[in-house]
Structures are given as C-alpha cells and as structure tokens.
C-alpha cells in the first residue's frame, strides 16, 4: 500500500466504493511533456498510481500535449521511463490528449449549438481588459450574442485555416460577473499554426488545458481526478464543461497540496534554465531534484516512495526539509547497501614487519547485521592506504584514529602502530612507517588498547577511482522565492576526487550498484560513466544528517 495513512482522498474513495457510486477506481497521471519529472511529480505519481493500486484499480499515463510549442518526444520517453522506474505500471497504452482532438472539436461544436460558446473577435489585449479583475466585474464581449449559426460557421472556418493566428477564439459563454476569473467566458480554442508531434499539421486550432483536461478524464472513465491545489479554482469550469456536453462520465476533481522541498526548485521552467545555462550537467545531473537525477544519485525507487508517503496527503501547503528525503534514502541504503572500503585521500603506509610478497585474503562481511548478504574477500599486504584525515602526528583523546606512536585497528584486519612519519621537502606527510600486530586478526591485542577503527585498502589490491561528492545545489532554503534564483546556487555543490583508491571487489560493481563506503557515506556507481576500466562513484548521501541547523 502506497498511501497507507488515513487521508481525505482515501476517505472519499472508500465512501464512493461503499455507496456503490463506483465499482472500481480509475485514476490518471497527466504530465505535460515539456521537461523531466521532478520530486513533486513523484508525489503525484505515488498518489495517482498508488490509490489505483491500493484499491485494485487502474491508472492511466496520459500526456497532456495540447501545447505543441513546448513539447518534445524525448521528454515523453524520459517521463514514461521514470514512471516505470518508480515501480508503477499504467493501464493499457500510453494516452495523449491529442488523441482526443476530434472528439474535443465535436464537443466544442455541441457547446456552440447549445448557445454555450461563441466565436469572439476581440484581440487578446481587449479580452484581458473586458475580463476585469478580482475587484472589477467583467464586461461581456460585443460578439457574445452573435447568432449560433454565425459562431458555428466561423469556428469551422477557424479550423479550416481561414484566419490568422489570434484573429479570433472560441469562448465558453458562462458568466462575466463571476467572482471566479476562470468562469468569465474562458477561451476554449485558439488559432495557433504550430506543428504537433502527434497530429502534425492537421490542426491550426488547439483546445485549452481547461477544456481538454476534463473531457479527456471523462473519455477515459476516470473516477477520481487527483490534482494539485492550483486547480481548485478551475474545478467549477471542469464541472461546467462536463455538465453541458453529452458525455456520461463525470469524474470528481480532488485537489491536494504540492510537494515543495527545501534547498531546491521544483518548477520545470527553472530546472530547464539550470540545464540550458549549464549550471548542471543535464536534467539527470545527480544534484537535480528530477527523478532521473535522484536515480543517478543512487536513490532507490522504494526510498522515494517512502519519502512521499511520509510527507502525507493533505491540503496544507508546506515545504519539506531535505533531511526528510535523505533520511528515507539513508534508511533504505543502511538496510540494503553492501559495505565496502574506499580511501578518498590516500596516504601510504608501509608495514615494516610484514613480509614483502605476502598477501592475505580476509573474508569481510558485506553487511554487519545481515549475514545473508554474504562476504567478499579483501586483501592485506605490506603497502596500504588510509585516508589522510585518519592520521595526525599528535592529537588529543577525542581523536580516535591513527596518531604517531599510537595504535589503531584497521577495519576487518589487524591493529597497527605508527612508528615514523616521512615528509617531502615542503613538510607534507607522504608516508607512514608502521608495524602490525600479527595476533590481532579478529582478536583484541594484549596489553594495549587501539584508538578506534579506520578503513584502508591495500596498494596491490585496490583500484583508482573517481569519486564525486555532492552538496546542496542552492545555499538558501527557498531559492524559488529569490528574485534571481541563480544567484543562490552553491558554487561548491560538486567536488570531484580523482585519485581515490577503492577495494578490489568494487571493480565488479555495475552501474547503479549502491554501497556504503565505510565511514564515508553511501555511494553508487554512476549509471552512465562507470565501467570496470573507469570506476566512478557518486555520493548518494552522507552517513549522518549533515543538514541539521
Ligand atoms: P511545473 O510547474 O514544474 O511545470 P506542472 O504542474 O506544470 O509542473 P505537469 O506536467 O502539468 O507539471 O504535472 C503533472 C502532474 O503533476 C499534475 O497533475 C501536477 O499537479 C502534478 N505536480 C506537479 N508538480 C507537483 C508538485 N510539486 N507536487 C505534487 N504534484 C505536482
Ligand atoms: Mg501543468
Ligand atoms: Mg507547468
């Protein structure tokens, strides 16, 4: 169950099934193919597909492609792939609002014939002026009362291409005095000579979103049309259209609040700008809040679904902290990601008392709690690497790592003691000479106590790797509220480490495999750039919440 918790939509659906108003649930997810899906869409997907799933119903995937100027086939493909990746299956074939253009046209003629729509010749500017404002009631167009026959004739000629773009429009005849601006004789068809990816140049008039959406829902037999709150004021128009055309189905539109996430933007327009201006490396850059970006970052579908569930289904407008998303991811990876060792900033160690050519194979558990995840071999030898951050020449008691003259345990291996520090001419530490205690494999040393446990790899049995560390893309919690959201970009959102060393077993990692690099965080092999010859890992999330204020 995706939408487990009791919520107002669930209540409506259950009441409708109980009363017999509906025998089954049919929902739809209706994206406009003008960009990649983002985390907000994930919420809409989980709600629409999730409710259908919870009640053994069906959910359609319908492209709302009535705006030919902005749509691209590549977006449609990416959207469908994202929905599938999130774990949902749409019912039947993918639908397109454009598939209904003939029916929509016929319903428009029906409205004209019922004297409920008319062809208006006011210019766009005049229309705006006549519409009035919230304070000022609208004025009726002088063309509003033209004879039905005349509107019908003009509408047919609009379709036939006799008039210029914008020369006239078809408007519903509702109420210019309505306090709801959407009801002041809204435009339902406009002339627009534009090639459409599905219908080509067949049409030079296109229906508006409001006219299209409700009819598409009804054609598909949608029972509950679930959408975000900004459509609340459009509901009276949704109902008006369906009440006034001859169609049997009348879906119930129900609105819920959008998902807003701190430190990011969830507007396709702004995300598109980030891509076009090169602030990120494409729509699927791991810093992007897009579904494909989160995927490339290493988030699992289950963790995204879990996150959405935790944000709840309400009408309350709120912004969710990034830590909520990261906690869902962390929990999932903590359970499911195998452990491995990776040294981000290598510092060489030579074990003076370890034989030159000896290599020891040690079986290390892949997960400390889950034995069923098995073991992999790690290799111990005379030359090792630890992280530069894990050594100090002198340190206080709080530093539980390697210190000159002191001992530390190497994870899954022996206890070593640092005897000597080697520096280059500039005084940089370049190597440590240590001794290992051969009686400490899986045993505590006798007579002394090592200070903590650090990770390591052997020189001979490790591989070079590129590691990318990601941080928040924006420095402020609400970049979208800024006049210039680009100025709030975090210039340090990506740090590339190209001389890391990772344990041998990671040469077998497949793109998108996830790991906990012990003590460093959760990482995934890059979906596109990682290969056995060129290891590339992206940090999904740190081990602990680093966002705490
Ligand atoms: P954007 O403003 O980013 O362009 P949109 O709402 O125009 O988004 P659509 O492709 O029309 O994008 O969205 C498809 C569905 O996803 C709609 O039903 C919309 O309500 C829903 N949706 C979009 N953004 C969010 C969000 N932040 N939270 C929840 N649902 C959303
Ligand atoms: Mg939209
Ligand atoms: Mg939009």
């Amino acid at each position: 169950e995706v939408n487990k918790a009791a919520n107002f939509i669930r209540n409506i659906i259950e009441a409708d099934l109980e009363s017999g108003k509906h025998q089954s649930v049919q929902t739809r997810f209706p994206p406009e193919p003008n960009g990649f899906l983002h985390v907000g869409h994930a919420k809409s997907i989980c709600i629409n597909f999730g409710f259908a799933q919870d009640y053994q119903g069906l959910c359609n995937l319908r492209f709302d492609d009535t705006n030919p100027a902005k749509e691209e086939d590549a977006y449609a493909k990416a959207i469908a792939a994202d929905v599938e990746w999130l774990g949902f299956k749409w019912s039947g074939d993918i639908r397109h609002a454009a598939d209904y253009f003939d029916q929509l046209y016929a319903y428009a003629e029906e409205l004209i014939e019922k004297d409920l729509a008319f062809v208006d010749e006011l210019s766009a500017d005049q229309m705006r002026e006549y519409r009035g404002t919230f304070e000022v009631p609208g004025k009726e167009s002088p063309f509003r009362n033209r004879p039905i026959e005349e509107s019908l004739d003009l509408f047919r000629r609009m379709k036939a291409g006799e008039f210029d773009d914008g020369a006239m429009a078809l408007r519903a005849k509702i109420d210019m005095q309505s306090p709801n601006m959407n009801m002041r004789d809204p435009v339902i068809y406009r002339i627009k000579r534009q090639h459409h990816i599905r219908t080509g140049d067949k049409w030079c008039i296109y229906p508006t979103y409001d006219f299209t959406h409700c009819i598409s829902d009804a054609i598909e037999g949608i029972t509950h049309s679930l959408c975000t709150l900004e459509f609340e004021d459009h509901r009276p128009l949704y109902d008006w259209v369906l009440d006034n055309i001859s169609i049997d189905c009348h879906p119930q539109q129900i609105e819920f609040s959008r998902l807003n996430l701190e430190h990011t933007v969830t507007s396709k327009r702004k995300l598109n700008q980030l891509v076009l201006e090169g602030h990120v490396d494409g729509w699927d850059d791991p810093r992007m809040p897009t579904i494909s970006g989160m995927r490339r970052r290493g988030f699992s579908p289950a963790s995204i679904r879990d996150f959405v569930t935790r944000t709840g289904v309400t009408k309350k407008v709120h912004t969710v902290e990034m830590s909520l998303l990261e906690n869902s991811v962390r929990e999932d990876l903590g359970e499911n990601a195998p452990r491995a060792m990776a040294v981000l900033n290598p510092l060489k160690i030579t074990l003076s008392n370890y034989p030159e050519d000896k290599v020891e194979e040690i079986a290390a558990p892949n997960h400390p709690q889950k034995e069923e995840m098995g073991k992999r071999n790690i290799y111990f030898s005379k030359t090792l690497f630890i992280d530069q951050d894990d050594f100090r020449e002198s340190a206080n008691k709080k530093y539980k790592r390697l210190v000159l003259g002191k001992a530390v345990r190497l994870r899954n291996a022996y206890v070593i003691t640092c005897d000597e520090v080697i520096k280059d001419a500039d005084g940089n530490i370049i190597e440590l000479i240590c001794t290992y205690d051969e009686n400490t494999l899986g045993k505590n040393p006798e007579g002394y106590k090592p200070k903590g446990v650090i990770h390591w790899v052997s020189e001979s049995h490790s591989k070079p790797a590129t590691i990318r560390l990601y941080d928040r893309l924006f420095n402020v919690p609400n970049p979208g509220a800024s006049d210039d959201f680009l100025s709030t970009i975090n210039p340090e959102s990506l740090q590339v480490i190209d001389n890391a060393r990772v344990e041998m077993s990671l040469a077998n990692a497949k793109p998108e495999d996830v790991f906990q690099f012990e003590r460093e965080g959760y990482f995934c092999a890059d979906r596109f750039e990682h290969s056995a010859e060129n290891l590339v890992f992206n940090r999904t999330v740190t081990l602990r919440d680093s966002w705490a204020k």
Side-chain angles (χ1 to χ4, degrees):
E1 290 190 352
V2 179
N3 300 294
K4 277 190 207 86
N7 62 59
F8 75 103
I9 299 181
R10 201 180 173 95
N11 295 342
I12 294 172
I13 292 177
E14 288 188 355
D16 288 348
L17 291 172
E18 248 159 64
S19 72
K21 180 180 176 192
H22 298 299
Q23 264 63 56
S24 62
V25 174
Q26 172 74 61
T27 57
R28 88 284 170 267
F29 172 62
E32 190 180 342
N34 62 346
F36 279 53
L37 297 181
H38 53 63
V39 62
H41 295 113
K43 173 170 180 172
S44 182
I45 292 170
C46 287
I47 287 180
N48 282 293
F49 282 92
F51 276 119
Q53 212 171 66
D54 289 355
Y55 296 95
Q56 290 83 47
L58 298 171
C59 180
N60 295 348
L61 173 60
R62 181 202 313 145
F63 288 117
D64 164 27
D65 55 357
T66 50
N67 188 356
K70 290 190 290 180
E71 281 133 25
E72 278 181 34
D73 208 31
Y75 291 140
K77 289 204 170 74
I79 289 170
D82 285 347
V83 171
E84 278 190 311
W85 178 77
L86 268 182
F88 296 106
K89 255 191 137 50
W90 50 86
S91 158
D93 293 334
I94 293 177
R95 335 266 161 144
H96 300 83
D99 297 341
Y100 310 133
F101 280 169
D102 286 319
Q103 282 155 285
L104 290 162
Y105 178 82
Y107 287 123
E109 284 207 353
E110 182 185 347
L111 286 181
I112 300 172
E113 280 159 2
K114 289 177 168 167
D115 202 16
L116 291 172
F118 67 101
V119 170
D120 197 0
E121 292 171 56
L122 290 182
S123 68
D125 282 343
Q126 288 170 316
M127 257 190 228
R128 202 168 305 122
E129 199 187 305
Y130 275 67
R131 188 173 300 125
T133 63
F134 282 112
E135 290 83 30
V136 181
K139 274 192 310 192
E140 293 186 351
S141 163
F143 300 97
R144 194 179 202 262
N145 293 316
R146 73 188 339 160
I148 290 173
E149 285 314 315
E150 200 174 296
S151 277
L152 203 52
D153 175 59
L154 287 171
F155 188 48
R156 288 176 179 161
R157 288 165 60 195
M158 276 169 62
K159 180 185 178 224
E162 287 189 31
F163 309 112
D164 289 341
D165 285 16
M168 40 187 91
L170 185 68
R171 297 178 71 178
K173 204 183 270 195
I174 310 180
D175 179 8
M176 291 306 288
Q177 312 293 310
S178 173
N180 183 339
M181 302 296 283
N182 296 306
M183 299 298 271
R184 294 189 186 175
D185 293 3
V187 170
I188 57 177
Y189 262 92
R190 44 174 66 96
I191 308 174
K192 216 191 273 184
R193 279 175 182 74
Q194 205 118 52
H195 187 83
H196 190 286
I197 45 172
R198 296 190 61 82
T199 56
D201 295 312
K202 176 175 174 190
W203 297 91
C204 63
I205 57 172
Y206 288 97
T208 55
Y209 172 86
D210 281 324
F211 186 66
T212 308
H213 198 81
C214 53
I215 298 178
S216 305
D217 279 352
I219 290 172
E220 293 179 11
I222 302 301
T223 53
H224 302 88
S225 180
L226 312 175
C227 62
T228 37
L229 276 178
E230 69 269 25
F231 294 104
E232 199 167 26
D233 288 347
H234 296 245
R235 186 172 1 113
L237 179 54
Y238 184 106
D239 290 331
W240 184 91
V241 172
L242 294 182
D243 283 341
N244 287 296
I245 61 172
S246 346
I247 198 161
D248 288 336
C249 179
H250 192 137
Q252 181 182 0
Q253 177 180 306
I254 306 168
E255 309 87 14
F256 58 88
S257 60
R258 292 174 79 90
L259 173 66
N260 301 308
L261 190 58
E262 277 190 357
H263 291 284
T264 194
V265 293
T266 47
S267 137
K268 274 185 271 185
R269 190 179 55 76
K270 291 194 172 104
L271 294 173
N272 195 20
Q273 199 179 343
L274 291 173
V275 174
L276 287 179
E277 295 179 14
H279 301 287
V280 294
D281 187 17
W283 283 95
D284 59 6
D285 184 299
R287 290 166 293 181
M288 290 281 270
T290 50
I291 293 178
S292 51
M294 294 191 287
R295 173 178 183 177
R296 202 164 165 197
R297 179 82 172 249
F299 294 11
S300 68
S303 65
I304 297 173
R305 293 196 305 262
D306 175 65
F307 162 68
V308 167
T309 303
R310 287 185 201 198
T311 64
V313 182
T314 67
K315 281 185 180 283
K316 215 174 74 198
V317 178
H318 63 182
T319 301
V320 180
E321 284 178 31
M322 188 62 94
S323 57
L324 193 70
L325 173 59
E326 293 194 342
N327 284 337
S328 289
V329 174
R330 216 175 262 124
E331 244 174 62
D332 174 52
L333 294 175
E335 279 272 304
N336 301 311
R339 275 45 174 174
M341 292 198 284
V343 174
L344 272 51
N345 302 295
L347 171 60
K348 185 174 169 180
I349 286 191
T350 301
L351 299 175
S352 55
N353 61 340
Y354 199 85
E356 195 72 44
D357 298 321
K358 185 170 169 185
V359 177
E360 254 175 284
E361 214 172 80
I362 302 170
N366 287 328
H367 195 287
Q369 282 91 40
K370 295 169 88 178
E371 226 176 291
E372 66 273 21
M373 284 178 70
K375 295 184 171 190
R376 87 276 183 197
N377 283 333
I378 56 173
Y379 300 85
F380 196 77
S381 61
K382 189 176 181 72
T383 311
L384 311 171
F385 293 112
I386 64 165
D387 200 282
Q388 286 167 21
D389 285 345
D390 286 337
F391 174 74
R392 283 191 201 165
E393 289 183 82
S394 61
N396 67 19
K397 283 195 195 118
K398 280 194 199 134
Y399 187 75
K400 295 204 163 51
R401 311 179 200 182
L402 186 60
V403 178
L404 179 59
K406 304 253 165 65
V408 78
R409 175 172 289 283
L410 297 181
R411 178 86 174 139
N412 295 312
Y414 295 94
V415 173
I416 61 167
T417 300
C418 181
D419 305 316
E420 191 188 337
V421 179
I422 298 177
K423 297 181 182 175
D424 66 11
D426 301 325
N428 301 309
I429 300 172
I430 52 169
E431 188 180 341
L432 305 177
I433 308 298
C434 302
T435 45
Y436 89 111
D437 182 339
E438 64 176 332
N439 297 314
T440 54
L441 188 60
K443 280 192 294 229
N444 285 328
E446 279 172 32
Y448 66 99
K449 227 178 142 154
K451 261 308 188 51
V453 183
I454 62 173
H455 60 284
W456 58 279
V457 295
S458 86
E459 183 183 48
S460 57
H461 288 73
S462 62
K463 292 266 175 194
T466 299
I467 291 187
R468 302 174 181 146
L469 304 179
Y470 298 103
D471 197 353
R472 60 186 86 175
L473 186 52
F474 295 96
N475 279 323
V476 299
N478 188 0
S482 164
D483 289 337
D484 174 18
F485 82 106
L486 296 173
S487 69
T488 69
I489 287 182
N490 173 9
E492 272 141 39
S493 62
L494 169 61
Q495 186 195 345
V496 181
I497 296 177
D498 46 26
N499 60 342
R501 306 252 355 157
V502 300
E503 66 171 71
M504 202 68 168
S505 72
L506 290 171
N508 301 323
K510 301 275 170 299
E512 301 203 83
D513 280 354
V514 288
F515 300 92
Q516 184 195 99
F517 288 171
E518 299 215 36
R519 301 180 61 238
E520 292 291 358
Y522 295 99
F523 291 78
C524 72
D526 189 78
R527 185 178 168 198
F528 301 115
E529 286 159 35
H530 170 89
S531 68
E533 294 73 45
N534 181 34
L535 310 187
V536 182
F537 295 95
N538 301 330
R539 185 170 68 196
T540 310
V541 66
T542 53
L543 288 178
R544 258 160 256 98
D545 186 0
S546 54
W547 295 71
K549 287 161 215 149

